[in-house]
Amino acid sequence: MQQWRDVKSRHPDALVFFRVGDFYEFFNQDAEEGARLLGLTLTSRNNGSAGDVPLAGVPAKALDDYLARLVRLGRRVAICEQVEDPAEAKGIVRREVVEMVTPGTVLHDALLEPARNVWVAALVADGAHGVGAAALDLSTGQWELSLVARDHLRSELARLQPAELVVTEAFAATLPDPEADGGPLRTLRPEWIFHPDGAREELERTFGVHSLEGLGFQEADTALIRAAGALLHYVRETQPAGIGHLAVPRIHRSRTVMLLDEMTVRNLELVEPLRPGPGGATLLSVVDRTCTPMGARMLRWWVLHPRVDAAEIWARQEAVAHLHEDTRLRETVRDALAKVGDLERIAGRLGTERASPRELRALARALARIEPLPDHLSGASAPRLEGLRAALDPLSDVRERLERALAEDPPAQVGDGGVLREGYDDELDELRRTRDGAVDFIASLQARERARTGIGSLKVGYNRVFGYYLEVTHAHSAKVPDDYVRKQTLANAERYFTPELKQWEEKVANAEDRIQSLEARLFGELRRALAGEVPRLQRTSRAVAELDVVASLAEVARACGYVRPEVHTGFDLDIRAGRHPVVETMMAREDFIPNDVRLDDERRVVILTGPNMAGKSTVLRQVGLIQLLAQMGSFVPADQARLPVADRIFTRVGASDNLVRGQSTFMVEMTETSAILHGASAASLVLLDEIGRGTSTYDGVSIAWAVSEHLHERVGAKTIFATHYHELTQLPDLLPAARNMNVVVREVGEDVVFLRRLEEGGADRSYGIQVARLAGLPLDVVARAREILADLEGTHTAGGEGLGRHGAHRPASQAPPDQLVLDLAEPALLAELRSIDVERMTPLEALNLLGGWVERARGRP
Ligand code: ADP
Ligand code: MG
């Protein structure tokens, strides 16, 4: 208990897995928590004068299962092992915390998802408006450093989805409250681990450099250095055995990636469906045809980090195009990659001295698959493929070394024997010969003992508990010689040994022991020697990952009929026969109706109308997804596309249910809209879907109107605004670069047929009642609704111009009505306006007044 208290005092915020024989035990508060979180039986143990101590335990064999559950719950675990052989220990076996397992620092295979990185990130304030951020995936050694504007921190975190944040308490206080549904674990650490000097030293020591310049840091990078150093400090804390496999950090400086905010990532369903559940397709799931886990992880990164530098986009396109064209090369590459496995994580495990014999054997096989790739790529003209070819070091020396050392099919663990190949080590071979000779001798004993005793059924056998024995059935017990010593009695037989057998058995056991310790030593040496090759392995892994990603994009382009978009640095966007990459996969190919969308200087803002279910949201998102795919370097689902480089893509969906965050939906909608109006530039693509829906109709129309005006007049961004407010179809009359478009439906009798076709001009009405009928509303309700509608339309038309709210619109494709001119500066009108008391007016009076003005404006007094 003293040992336990000691450990616990050093790890007060962790659940201590305290190794006792074949179990991990929890004591005191840990036992209670373990019982609660893991459903363990809580017992107690009498601890003398200290009274009863609560106790719970789990079998050591099941460690991974329990760790997985705790880590998913966001808990921190300290694994405390016996670090002495109990047989040799004097007094109580020494124990030490050998590893901390936290949500952001897991290394156990069972806890890792192949297609996703696990990020732990350290954040540190950089002045008032910036944050230095360092993110590390400990399982692969990959790290990414960047300076983030404070305003963008939330978006960056939403994209990265770190499992854990390392911050000071003061910094944590500036972060928004953790969301109810999990979010990253916050690890609070003292200010000093973020100190620039210590951080600098930590980095220099880890990478064995004298100056950080060699790693790409610059004089002014203090915040990055502080974040990176603190992260290293923390990670070292969790891995007392050492971290030997960290790649050199990648520092993201200039803005080369598009900043995608959280709502856009969500609304475009890039990596997560809006409604979670089985079968929920996302852009990632549609374009992910990668063959390796590291490729899958990189593709996820590409989807979430579209580029804004045209050169990079073009370079990627070129590579994808080449593989798209050359089907044989694409297939050869993909075939080879399919058998490569998770090179990057094996490299990570090699660096932390965890790689098992089986994994290293798998590494050798993976390298053998990679070996011919550079040759295959040698004819490829795309500079990016040329670069990948050069970066693909197949590490033949490492592979040969592994092949020479490891048995064809080695066991998962070193202790099980049979790890190393014959001929690798003379001493090992000699010991194995000794052992095998002894085993052979014992086997030959059967024939000799049968002859000596005359017992024809005598058998030599072996089991793990009793070792070697001579077995004689009870029927022959009379013939058993004097030198047989009884060892074990069975129902119908007796087992014996003889001094001779015992001698040989010891020989075998002896050899076996020495073989095991020798194998363990040799394997350890091999693994340590190879740890130095981890950086090369990481470079190759990244090249493999990127090759996998471009091959995957080429494959999708082939399979789904995508084309290479013309990406340019100008303004206009022109998509011919574009399709929604995800929705199209959910129906038969010919059922999806492609559409053209054009946005340019003359038509910057498109007001998209059409009844419910017409396909507005689909077209809107389709434009966003096509734009995003293009900026990943991918081909796009269209017949033809000319696309600019957008600095940002914004997608907002009105009235989307966001109650989890405890704000009213309308508030959320407006917060988001405001973020667009502040964040968008003329180079942005803004996609608004039913903004303003979360409030009353007049409020909604007014806000939608003003937002569109602002985007048109001030921001100048390419904008598509899908709305069921037909009032907005009047905007193009007033704004020179605004246009109406609508998704057409055809009326057939009482029904509407959705054509899913986009047309110039505004929708003429909303067809709400027909849609309601299609949805199965009882027929008498539908009929009654028609009556009411007719009534309402009648009322409003009676007052002059229709209010339009319920449908009776002039089609916007018709010519606008006579110009209405009211000169507000005209003194008479001004006086009249001043005299009006709106509060006291009845609607009819107001309408009459308005009617009068209209007459006057039309020049009819
Ligand atoms: P709206 O936003 O106008 O209410 P949606 O975009 O949500 O309509 O589309 C409704 C449904 O119509 C979608 O779920 C999809 O199944 C189908 N749909 C939309 N666009 C198309 C299209 N171009 N081709 C075929 N089906 C489509
Ligand atoms: Mg919609």
Side-chain angles (χ1 to χ4, degrees):
M1 285 312 291
Q2 225 166 51
Q3 264 185 352
W4 181 84
R5 270 193 292 272
D6 205 38
V7 168
K8 184 71 191 172
S9 70
R10 272 179 282 126
H11 301 279
D13 54 354
L15 204 66
V16 176
F17 274 58
F18 194 74
R19 183 67 173 256
V20 181
D22 290 335
F23 283 83
Y24 290 103
E25 303 281 9
F26 308 113
F27 300 104
N28 292 324
Q29 67 268 43
D30 283 3
E32 278 152 19
E33 195 178 355
R36 189 161 47 77
L37 297 178
L38 300 171
L40 308 176
T41 316
L42 190 63
T43 57
S44 66
R45 171 173 192 267
N46 190 282
N47 200 29
S49 57
D52 281 354
V53 174
L55 175 78
V58 299
K61 275 202 293 249
L63 176 66
D64 278 357
D65 286 347
Y66 289 103
L67 284 180
R69 284 161 65 185
L70 288 169
V71 163
R72 239 171 272 135
L73 290 168
R75 280 298 275 137
R76 190 184 302 280
V77 171
I79 301 179
C80 182
E81 292 287 355
Q82 300 175 170
V83 292
E84 277 181 306
D85 187 343
E88 287 162 22
K90 295 187 194 71
I92 291 178
V93 185
R94 214 154 47 79
R95 291 185 172 80
E96 264 172 30
V97 171
V98 295
E99 187 186 0
M100 299 287 299
V101 181
T102 71
T105 62
V106 285
L107 284 171
H108 296 246
D109 246 1
L111 280 57
L112 296 168
E113 274 178 64
R116 288 190 69 163
N117 286 106
V118 180
W119 298 110
V120 53
L123 304 176
V124 65
D126 179 39
H129 305 295
V131 175
L136 170 67
D137 179 341
L138 200 56
S139 71
T140 64
Q142 180 186 345
W143 18 3
E144 314 284 339
L145 304 185
S146 59
L147 276 180
V148 181
R150 243 200 205 263
D151 291 347
H152 298 159
L153 184 60
R154 193 194 173 96
S155 295
E156 289 291 355
L157 291 179
R159 227 175 350 172
L160 194 69
Q161 294 197 333
E164 188 171 354
L165 290 180
V166 182
V167 287
T168 62
E169 206 169 340
F171 190 89
T174 69
L175 290 171
D177 280 339
E179 289 184 25
D181 53 345
L185 171 71
R186 290 184 184 188
T187 297
L188 302 183
R189 285 293 177 271
E191 195 70 52
W192 65 264
I193 75 162
F194 292 88
H195 193 278
D197 296 345
R200 195 174 283 277
E201 241 166 68
E202 188 79 56
L203 280 162
E204 285 169 356
R205 182 153 57 96
T206 303
F207 292 103
V209 291
H210 291 299
S211 138
L212 293 185
E213 263 161 37
L215 299 176
F217 287 96
Q218 295 168 3
E219 201 52 46
D221 285 338
T222 315
L224 293 183
I225 293 170
R226 290 174 64 200
L231 189 56
L232 272 180
H233 182 99
Y234 173 64
V235 165
R236 211 181 284 291
E237 195 181 294
T238 68
Q239 305 296 324
I243 32 173
H245 65 295
L246 299 187
V248 170
R250 290 198 301 168
I251 304 176
H252 302 276
R253 276 184 201 291
S254 55
R255 268 254 157 250
T256 52
V257 301
M258 184 195 292
L259 180 70
L260 278 175
D261 60 84
E262 191 184 355
M263 290 316 293
T264 301
V265 171
R266 276 228 289 204
N267 289 330
L268 289 181
E269 303 188 279
L270 297 184
V271 294
E272 219 99 49
L274 275 175
R275 273 168 225 82
T282 62
L283 181 67
L284 179 61
S285 74
V286 168
V287 300
D288 185 358
R289 303 212 176 189
T290 54
C291 305
T292 68
M294 54 274 188
R297 292 192 293 269
M298 187 180 275
L299 181 62
R300 187 187 176 87
W301 183 273
W302 281 29
V303 166
L304 291 171
H305 299 81
R307 305 291 295 216
V308 294
D309 41 349
E312 172 68 15
I313 295 171
W314 292 327
R316 289 179 180 182
Q317 275 194 339
E318 192 71 29
V320 174
H322 189 98
L323 289 166
H324 177 258
E325 208 43 49
D326 190 341
T327 294
R328 260 196 45 205
L329 176 60
R330 186 176 73 249
E331 279 168 4
T332 311
V333 165
R334 285 166 48 82
D335 274 353
L337 292 181
K339 290 164 195 125
V340 165
D342 205 335
L343 203 59
E344 199 180 20
R345 279 197 170 136
I346 295 180
R349 295 170 67 77
L350 193 56
T352 48
E353 299 203 12
R354 286 161 186 271
S356 72
R358 205 171 274 168
E359 282 170 332
L360 288 191
R361 184 67 234 192
L363 173 60
R365 287 205 190 93
L367 293 174
R369 298 281 168 195
I370 292 169
E371 184 113 26
L373 279 177
D375 267 355
H376 292 310
L377 290 173
S378 63
S381 54
R384 178 56 52 90
L385 291 178
E386 178 57 33
L388 289 175
R389 189 184 71 83
L392 268 176
D393 166 8
L395 288 99
S396 315
D397 50 327
V398 171
R399 177 179 55 75
E400 277 159 22
R401 193 156 170 189
L402 287 169
E403 281 167 353
R404 236 182 301 119
L406 295 172
E408 205 53 55
D409 190 13
Q413 272 162 31
V414 188
D416 296 346
V419 171
L420 298 168
R421 189 188 278 285
E422 207 182 311
Y424 179 63
D425 182 81
D426 291 345
E427 191 186 347
L428 184 62
D429 290 348
E430 179 63 38
L431 283 168
R432 281 181 178 160
R433 271 196 294 279
T434 310
R435 177 197 59 192
D436 295 346
V439 169
D440 284 350
F441 180 85
I442 293 171
S444 71
L445 214 57
Q446 184 165 299
R448 282 191 291 121
E449 288 301 299
R450 277 185 188 175
R452 177 162 82 101
T453 60
I455 306 171
S457 61
L458 180 144
K459 279 194 301 195
V460 170
Y462 172 83
N463 81 26
R464 274 189 104 85
V465 181
F466 292 97
Y468 288 97
Y469 53 78
L470 298 154
E471 188 174 295
V472 181
T473 55
H474 292 317
H476 298 286
S477 45
K479 294 189 219 156
V480 168
D482 288 349
D483 61 338
Y484 275 33
V485 184
R486 189 175 297 155
K487 197 169 186 177
Q488 187 193 9
T489 304
L490 304 181
N492 58 352
E494 204 76 51
R495 288 175 176 176
Y496 304 91
F497 65 92
T498 64
E500 187 189 25
L501 178 59
K502 191 156 181 72
Q503 212 181 345
W504 283 100
E505 178 171 7
E506 274 163 13
K507 229 179 208 165
V508 173
N510 221 328
E512 210 46 272
D513 268 1
R514 291 181 55 199
I515 287 171
Q516 279 190 18
S517 59
L518 182 59
E519 270 205 337
R521 202 190 77 213
L522 291 171
F523 181 74
E525 281 169 10
L526 175 71
R527 196 164 57 180
R528 268 190 300 284
L530 291 178
E533 309 294 349
V534 168
R536 281 170 72 201
L537 269 171
Q538 281 167 335
R539 274 197 296 278
T540 293
S541 297
R542 284 201 74 81
V544 168
E546 187 164 350
L547 183 60
D548 193 13
V549 171
V550 289
S552 169
L553 291 178
E555 178 72 16
V556 183
R558 266 278 168 227
C560 307
Y562 290 8
V563 296
R564 178 175 182 175
E566 180 196 334
V567 173
H568 62 94
T569 51
F571 184 79
D572 51 311
L573 172 153
D574 190 358
I575 298 170
R576 303 287 167 86
R579 309 182 312 266
H580 190 298
V582 182
V583 175
E584 75 163 339
T585 63
M586 297 196 261
M587 47 186 76
R589 180 76 190 268
E590 63 281 5
D591 285 349
F592 191 90
I593 313 296
N595 274 306
D596 298 347
V597 173
R598 192 160 48 80
L599 293 165
D600 54 35
D601 241 357
E602 268 77 63
R603 37 188 299 140
R604 284 200 301 275
V605 175
V606 163
I607 305 293
L608 179 59
T609 43
N612 218 327
M613 279 299 284
K616 300 184 295 298
S617 303
T618 306
V619 149
L620 189 90
R621 286 177 167 84
Q622 153 183 329
V623 172
L625 290 171
I626 286 175
Q627 180 70 44
L628 189 134
L629 278 169
Q631 287 185 251
M632 284 166 59
S634 170
F635 283 25
V636 300
D639 283 358
Q640 206 182 319
R642 208 179 116 72
L643 301 165
V645 178
D647 65 346
R648 313 230 355 213
I649 299 175
F650 291 96
T651 312
R652 286 301 177 280
V653 178
S656 74
D657 198 28
N658 208 349
L659 290 175
V660 261
R661 251 194 265 142
Q663 283 177 333
S664 90
T665 52
F666 181 63
M667 180 69 185
V668 171
E669 204 181 304
M670 287 303 108
T671 313
E672 289 167 0
T673 306
S674 126
I676 296 184
L677 299 187
H678 291 303
S681 79
S684 306
L685 177 63
V686 177
L687 305 168
L688 300 174
D689 195 355
E690 307 281 14
I691 284 297
R693 204 173 205 176
T695 182
S696 75
T697 307
Y698 286 137
D699 279 3
V701 173
S702 322
I703 292 171
W705 188 291
V707 165
S708 312
E709 254 177 18
H710 183 90
L711 284 166
H712 180 278
E713 302 288 276
R714 302 283 174 77
V715 180
K718 283 179 286 297
T719 303
I720 304 180
F721 198 139
T723 181
H724 70 293
Y725 290 137
H726 295 83
E727 288 78 356
L728 296 192
T729 55
Q730 296 168 31
L731 268 171
D733 297 341
L734 306 169
L735 305 176
R739 292 288 184 279
N740 279 315
M741 292 189 87
N742 75 100
V743 195
V744 203
V745 294
R746 189 193 299 143
E747 232 175 333
V748 180
E750 305 228 300
D751 282 332
V752 288
V753 177
F754 296 113
L755 300 182
R756 317 284 186 215
R757 224 182 47 239
L758 210 52
E759 249 185 24
E760 297 292 320
D764 52 351
R765 43 203 203 96
S766 54
Y767 298 94
I769 293 175
Q770 285 92 329
V771 174
R773 198 178 107 97
L774 278 186
L777 216 62
L779 286 179
D780 50 338
V781 177
V782 173
R784 176 70 185 132
R786 275 189 215 290
E787 268 175 45
I788 298 173
L789 177 65
D791 217 29
L792 287 171
E793 285 179 347
T795 317
H796 290 302
T797 341
E801 286 282 283
L803 224 70
R805 184 177 154 204
H806 301 286
H809 266 302
R810 65 185 160 76
S813 46
Q814 284 177 13
D818 317 355
Q819 287 287 321
L820 300 184
V821 188
L822 273 188
D823 185 358
L824 282 175
E826 186 198 321
L829 182 57
L830 215 53
E832 196 179 343
L833 281 172
R834 287 209 183 96
S835 71
I836 295 173
D837 185 350
V838 179
E839 315 266 76
R840 299 236 173 127
M841 250 177 168
T842 69
L844 194 61
E845 284 166 351
L847 276 172
N848 284 332
L849 190 69
L850 181 63
W853 286 342
V854 170
E855 295 289 284
R856 258 159 71 189
R858 290 196 171 130
R860 277 162 282 182

